[in-house]
Amino acid sequence: MKNRHFNSSFAVHLSSLMAFVCLATLPVLAQKPSPTEWPNLTTVNKPGVRWWWLGSAVDEKNLSWNLASLDQAGIGTVEITPIYGVQGEDAKEVPFLSPRWMQLYTHTVAEANKRSMWVDMNTGTGWPFGGPTIATAQAASRQLIVKQAIKALPGGRATSQRIALRVADTRQQPLATLQALLFVGEDGYREQIPLTLYKEGFLEWGTPQDGIVYALFVGKTLQQVKRAAPGGQGLVMNHFSQAVFNHYVSRFNEAFASSGSPWPHTFFNDSYEVYGADWSENLLEAFKRL
C-alpha cells in the first residue's frame, strides 16, 4: 500500500510540474522572432570575381554586356587579370598596357562606375611579376656556391696559387657574378679573400694551411612569366630588390599617365610563384647594415 500511495503521489506531482513548465514557457513560444538586421547592401559587402581577359581579346560591346550581367547577379567587384589567349583568336588579341588596351580598360571603369562597381587590376599578366621590361640583370636571382679544396705549399708557405672557381651550370656561366670569397682552414681559421684576386674563373691566392675556398656567385633562375598575356611575356623580376620593383612598376605609371586612365580601385598580385629565387645582389650589404 505504501508503494502504491507513493507512486500515485509522485504521478500527481509530476503532472503538476509539467503543467507549470508548459504555462511558464507559453509566453516565450508565443513571441514572434525579431527579423535579422542585415547591413545595407553596398559595393563593400558584395562579392567580387576574378575576370580573366583571355589574350585581352575584348571589345567595348562585350565588356559592357559582361558588366551588366555581373551587376545583375549581385557582383560588386571585378578583378582584371590578362592571361594567355584562345587558339584561333590571335587576331583579336590586344597587347597589355598598349594604348588600345588602356582604352578598353578605361571603358571598363566607366561602365563599372555607372553600376557602382569596383575594378581591381593585376599588376602584371599571368604570374608572377615580370615581363618584357625585365633585363637579365633585373631578373629573379639565386645563390650559387662553388667550393674548392686547396693545400698549403710545403713548409706552410702562402705563395699564390692558381685556383679554378667555375660555376658548373653552363647556362649560368655567362650570367653568374662573384659576390664573396671565404677561406676556411682545417683548424677553423677564416679569412675573407679580396674579390680583386679573382679573374676570368681563376683565383690567384695562397693559403697558409690546408682548407676550402668558398665562392658565392649570384646566378639567375631564368624563370619566365607563366601564362603571360600578349605583351606580358618575359623574365620574372627580382622580387627582393626595391630598385627592380620601382623599375617594374614604372611601366604602369607611364601607361596610366600617357593615357589619362583612372587608377583601379586596387592593384593586386595574382600569385607569388617565384621558384628558386633565394638571393639578391644587395643582400650581403643589407645584412651588414641591419
Side-chain angles (χ1 to χ4, degrees):
M1 290 294 290
K2 287 185 178 180
N3 287 342
R4 208 181 321 169
H5 173 72
F6 174 80
N7 290 339
S8 61
S9 299
F10 179 74
V12 171
H13 287 299
L14 181 60
S15 61
S16 300
L17 179 61
M18 292 292 292
F20 174 77
V21 171
C22 291
L23 289 172
T25 57
L26 191 59
V28 177
L29 297 173
Q31 290 178 359
K32 293 182 178 179
S34 60
T36 303
E37 295 183 2
W38 291 96
N40 293 329
L41 191 60
T42 65
T43 308
V44 173
N45 48 39
K46 287 183 178 180
V49 294
R50 179 65 45 84
W51 195 6
W52 302 104
W53 282 14
L54 296 170
S56 295
V58 296
D59 57 58
E60 286 85 352
K61 179 182 177 182
N62 285 290
L63 287 171
S64 298
W65 182 87
N66 272 271
L67 284 169
S69 300
L70 292 168
D71 179 35
Q72 187 176 8
I75 299 300
T77 300
V78 291
E79 295 181 344
I80 298 174
T81 296
I83 200 164
Y84 58 87
V86 177
Q87 189 173 5
E89 299 293 323
D90 308 54
K92 299 178 182 178
E93 294 178 348
V94 180
F96 182 55
L97 296 184
S98 65
R100 175 57 180 156
W101 196 96
M102 297 305 298
Q103 285 180 352
L104 293 163
Y105 161 80
T106 302
H107 173 81
T108 300
V109 175
E111 287 293 294
N113 287 342
K114 294 177 185 177
R115 298 171 170 81
S116 297
M117 299 174 71
W118 288 341
V119 177
D120 295 346
M121 177 179 162
N122 184 6
T123 320
T125 80
W127 55 85
F129 290 163
T133 63
I134 300 300
T136 304
Q138 300 160 325
S141 302
R142 52 176 296 203
Q143 61 165 295
L144 303 170
I145 303 295
V146 177
K147 60 181 181 179
Q148 179 66 49
I150 60 172
K151 290 184 174 294
L153 295 176
R157 289 181 292 117
T159 306
S160 295
Q161 305 178 49
R162 188 172 170 82
I163 307 163
L165 291 173
R166 294 181 181 275
V167 175
D169 189 342
T170 56
R171 297 182 307 163
Q172 298 289 345
Q173 288 175 358
L175 306 174
T177 57
L178 182 66
Q179 275 217 306
L181 286 166
L182 178 69
F183 171 74
V184 179
E186 286 187 338
D187 63 358
Y189 168 79
R190 294 169 181 263
E191 180 181 345
Q192 189 168 349
I193 305 172
L195 297 182
T196 53
L197 300 178
Y198 175 82
K199 295 180 181 179
E200 299 179 353
F202 292 93
L203 172 64
E204 298 287 344
W205 184 74
T207 171
Q209 60 180 273
D210 295 351
I212 297 176
V213 172
Y214 293 89
L216 169 63
F217 288 87
V218 180
K220 299 297 175 180
T221 68
L222 302 177
Q223 182 186 358
Q224 298 282 320
V225 177
K226 296 167 61 180
R227 313 293 189 265
Q233 302 93 333
L235 289 166
V236 170
M237 62 170 257
N238 178 1
H239 283 63
F240 307 141
S241 168
Q242 183 68 54
V244 172
F245 178 78
N246 291 344
H247 166 75
Y248 175 73
V249 296
S250 66
R251 182 188 185 196
F252 293 81
N253 294 334
E254 294 166 4
F256 278 86
S258 61
S259 65
S261 300
W263 293 101
H265 176 261
T266 302
F267 279 111
F268 69 94
N269 184 354
D270 175 80
S271 185
Y272 183 83
E273 299 183 34
V274 186
Y275 300 134
D278 58 9
W279 202 255
S280 184
E281 283 74 4
N282 62 341
L283 198 148
L284 289 177
E285 177 186 343
F287 182 83
K288 291 178 182 178
R289 185 180 71 253
L290 297 172

